C-alpha cells in the first residue's frame, strides 16, 4: 500500500537508464524522479564531445519516457539557473524546496559516485535507501566471494561459473554445449584481400540543440562530431535496432574477424552496443538471449564459435571486469606495477604520427569515439605500455575518448588488461607485441612510413625495439612468468652488439616520442 504521507525523491544517474527497472513498473504519486546534467560529471574527465552529447540525449529521452508513463520527473538541464551542478547540492536543495521526506537512489557503478552518495545519504536527516540497478547478471561482490582465498582471478573460471549459474549454452545442467567451453581457436583471422565488410548501422539524430548547450557552458571536450547527424543510439528503440542489426548482419562473422584491423574499417563485425549497454538502455541478458535465439533460429547461418565468442564477451569479460572493479577499488586506481612515469605522446590527442596503426586507431577514435578491442589493446595500449607511460595518463585518455567509457569497465581494461599495472590480477602476462602481431592482424603496415621488418635504423618500426627494451627493463619482474620465459631465451640468445643497437634505438625513440 502506498503511504500518502511519504514524499520520496529518487535519483537516476546518467548511466542508469533502465526502463525495465522495478522502480518504474508502478506509477506512484508520492515519488519524484530527478535526473541532472551537471558539471561534476562533464568535468571529471576530458570526455569526447560525442559521449557528453549522447549521454545528455539519452537522459533527456529517458526523462520524456518516464513522463509519458505518468511518472513525476524533475530534469535539470546543464544551463538551468537553479542547477547547482552536483548530485549532492541539487538533491539537498530539492529535498528542502519540495519537502521530500525520503531519498532513494540506485547503486552507482562508479566508486567515486558511490562514495559521494553513500556519504550524502548517511548525513541526511531523512531516511534513505539504495536499490540494485537490476542490470548485471552478477552482484557487485559475487566475483570477490567466488575467488575468496584464491591467488588469481582467472576469467575462464568466472566465465564457466557464470555459464553454469545462468544456464547459458549449457546441457545436462553443468556441461558446455558442443563439448567445449571456449572455441577461440576457430576465431581471429585477418581480413582477406577484397573482403567487403558489412556497412555499420548508423543513426541520424539531430542533436544540435544539445551541442549548443554544451558549448554555451564551455564544457571542455575532445574529438569531433556532426551533431546534426549523430550516429549513436540515444534511446531504447535505437539500441534494440542496433542489437537486431548486429545479430542479423555481424554475428555470423563476429569471431572470425574479431581481432582484424584495416585502415578505414572502424567497426568491422563488432556490435557497437557497449554505449547502450553501459548506460543501461539495454541489458546484457537481452543481448545474450537475442544472440542465442538468432543462432537457434538460423541453423547454418551462425556457426557456434561465433556465438560462443560473443557470449563470452558479455557474461564473461564484461561481468568479470565489474567484479574485479568492486573487489579491488579504490586501491586499483593507484597501481603502477612497472613504476612507469612517462607522459602520453602529444599525438595521442591528434593522431598526427607517422606510425600508421596508431594514426588510424587514434584518428578514428577522435572521429567516432570508438575503436574496437584489439585497436585499444594491441595498438594504443600496447604502445603506451612499451613507451612506459604512467597508467594515470593512460587511464585519463581512455576514460575520456570512448563512447562507452565508464570507470568500472575502463580502468579494469586499461590499467589491468592493457597496462598490466595491477601486476597480473586481470591478465596473466602483459599484452605487448612487436610489429609482427600488428601485421598479422591488420593491413596497417603496408604503406606505413616505418618498416615492420626491421628493429634498427631510421625507418625501423618503433614497436620492434620498444618491445625488447620493455622486456629487458622489466626482466626482474617478468622473467619468472611461465608464459614469458620463452621471450627471454630469445633475447638472451641475441648477440651483445644486436642487443645494444636495439636498446639504443629504443632509447632514441623514447627520447623523441613526440616526433614518431
Ligand atoms: P564487441 O567487440 O562487439 O563486444 C560485444 C560486447 O562485449 C561489448 O559491447 C562489451 O559490452 C563486451 N565486451 C567485450 N570485451 C569486453 C571487455 N574486455 N570488457 C568489458 N566488456 C567487454 N569497454 C567498455 O565498455 N568501456 C570502456 O571504457 C572500455 N575501455 C577499454 C580500454 C581498453 C584499453 C581495452 C583494451 C578495452 C576496453 N573496453 C572497454 C573493452 C572493449 O574494448 C569494448 O567493450 C568494446 O570494444 C566495445 O565495442 P563493441 O560494443 O563493438 O564490442
Ligand atoms: C558521463 C556522464 C556525463 C558526461 N554527464 C553526466 C551528467 O551530467 N549527469 C549524469 O547523471 N551522468 C553523467 N554521466 C554519466 C555519469 O558519469 C555516471 O552516471 C556516473 O559516473 C555514475 O556511474
Ligand atoms: Fe604500426 Fe610498425 Fe606496422 Fe607502422 S610498421 S603500422 S608503426 S606496426
Amino acid at each position: 500500500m502506498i503511504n500518502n504521507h511519504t514524499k520520496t525523491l529518487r535519483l537516476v544517474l546518467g548511466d542508469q537508464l533502465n526502463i525495465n527497472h522495478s522502480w518504474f513498473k508502478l506509477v506512484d504519486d508520492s515519488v519524484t524522479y530527478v535526473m541532472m546534467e551537471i558539471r561534476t560529471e562533464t568535468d571529471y574527465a576530458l570526455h569526447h564531445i560525442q559521449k557528453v552529447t549522447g549521454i545528455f540525449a539519452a537522459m533527456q529521452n529517458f526523462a520524456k519516457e518516464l513522463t509519458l508513463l505518468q511518472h513525476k520527473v524533475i530534469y535539470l538541464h546543464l544551463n538551468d539557473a537553479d542547477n547547482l551542478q552536483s548530485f549532492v547540492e541539487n538533491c539537498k536543495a530539492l529535498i528542502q524546496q519540495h519537502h521530500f521526506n525520503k531519498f532513494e537512489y540506485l547503486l552507482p557503478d562508479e566508486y567515486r559516485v558511490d562514495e559521494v552518495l553513500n556519504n550524502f545519504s548517511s548525513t541526511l536527516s531523512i531516511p534513505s535507501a539504495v536499490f540494485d540497478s537490476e542490470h548485471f547478471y552478477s552482484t557487485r561482490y559475487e566475483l570477490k566471494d567466488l575467488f575468496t582465498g584464491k591467488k588469481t582471478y582467472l576469467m575462464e573460471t568466472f566465465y564457466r561459473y557464470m555459464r553454469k549459474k545462468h544456464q547459458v549454452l549449457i546441457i545436462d545442467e553443468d556441461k558446455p554445449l558442443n563439448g567445449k567451453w571456449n572455441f577461440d581457436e576457430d576465431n581471429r583471422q585477418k581480413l582477406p584481400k577484397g573482403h567487403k565488410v558489412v556497412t555499420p548501422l548508423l543513426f541520424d539524430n539531430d542533436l544540435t540543440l544539445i551541442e549548443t548547450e554544451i558549448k554555451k557552458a564551455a564544457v571542455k571536450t575532445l574529438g569531433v562530431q556532426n551533431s546534426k547527424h549523430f550516429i549513436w543510439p540515444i534511446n531504447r528503440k535505437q539500441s534494440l535496432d542496433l542489437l537486431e542489426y548486429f545479430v542479423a548482419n555481424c554475428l555470423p562473422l563476429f569471431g572470425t574477424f574479431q581481432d582484424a584491423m584495416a585502415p578505414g574499417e572502424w567497426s568491422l563485425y563488432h556490435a557497437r552496443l557497449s554505449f547502450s549497454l553501459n548506460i543501461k538502455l539495454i541489458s546484457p541478458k537481452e543481448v545474450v538471449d537475442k544472440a542465442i535465439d538468432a543462432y537457434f533460429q538460423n541453423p547454418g547461418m551462425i556457426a557456434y564459435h561465433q556465438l560462443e565468442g560473443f557470449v563470452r564477451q558479455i557474461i564473461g569479460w564484461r561481468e568479470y571486469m565489474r567484479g574485479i572493479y568492486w573487489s579491488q577499488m579504490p586501491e586499483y586506481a593507484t597501481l603502477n606495477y612497472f613504476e612507469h612515469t612517462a607522459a602520453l605522446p602529444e599525438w595521442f590527442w591528434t593522431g598526427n604520427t607517422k606510425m600508421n596503426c596508431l594514426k588510424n586507431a587514434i584518428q578514428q577514435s577522435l572521429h567516432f569515439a570508438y575503436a574496437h578491442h584489439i585497436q585499444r589493446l594491441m595498438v594504443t595500449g600496447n604502445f603506451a605500455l612499451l613507451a612506459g607511460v604512467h597508467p594515470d595518463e593512460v587511464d585519463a585518455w581512455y576514460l575520456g575518448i570512448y563512447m562507452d567509457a565508464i570507470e568500472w569497465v575502463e580502468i579494469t581494461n586499461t590499467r589491468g588488461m592493457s597496462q598490466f599495472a595491477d601486476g597480473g590480477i586481470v591478465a596473466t602476462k602483459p599484452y605487448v607485441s612487436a610489429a609482427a602481431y600488428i601485421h598479422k592482424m591488420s593491413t596497417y603496415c603496408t604503406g606505413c612510413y616505418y618498416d615492420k621488418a626491421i628493429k634498427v635504423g631510421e625507418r625501423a618500426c618503433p614497436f620492434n625495439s620498444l618491445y625488447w627494451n620493455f622486456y629487458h627493463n622489466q626482466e626482474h619482474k617478468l622473467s619468472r612468468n611461465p608464459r614469458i620465459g620463452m621471450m627471454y631465451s630469445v633475447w638472451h640468445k641475441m648477440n651483445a652488439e644486436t642487443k645494444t643497437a636495439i636498446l639504443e634505438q629504443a632509447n632514441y625513440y623514447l627520447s623523441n616520442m613526440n616526433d614518431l
Side-chain angles (χ1 to χ4, degrees), residues 355-357 435 438 444-445 448 450-452 461-463:
M355 302 175 76
N356 206 28
C357 50
I438 295 175
Y444 290 141
C445 300
C448 180
Y450 294 104
D451 185 338
K452 65 176 190 317
C461 169
F463 276 102

Side-chain angles (χ1 to χ4, degrees), residues 478-512:
L478 296 176
S479 62
R480 279 191 302 277
N481 183 321
R483 296 195 63 203
I484 300 177
M486 265 287 290
M487 296 318 300
Y488 282 106
S489 50
V490 174
W491 176 240
H492 294 145
K493 274 186 200 140
M494 283 186 209
N495 67 49
E497 221 173 281
T498 310
K499 286 205 281 197
T500 306
I502 291 174
L503 296 178
E504 275 174 6
Q505 181 80 38
N507 282 323
Y508 172 78
Y509 282 148
L510 290 174
S511 317
N512 294 280

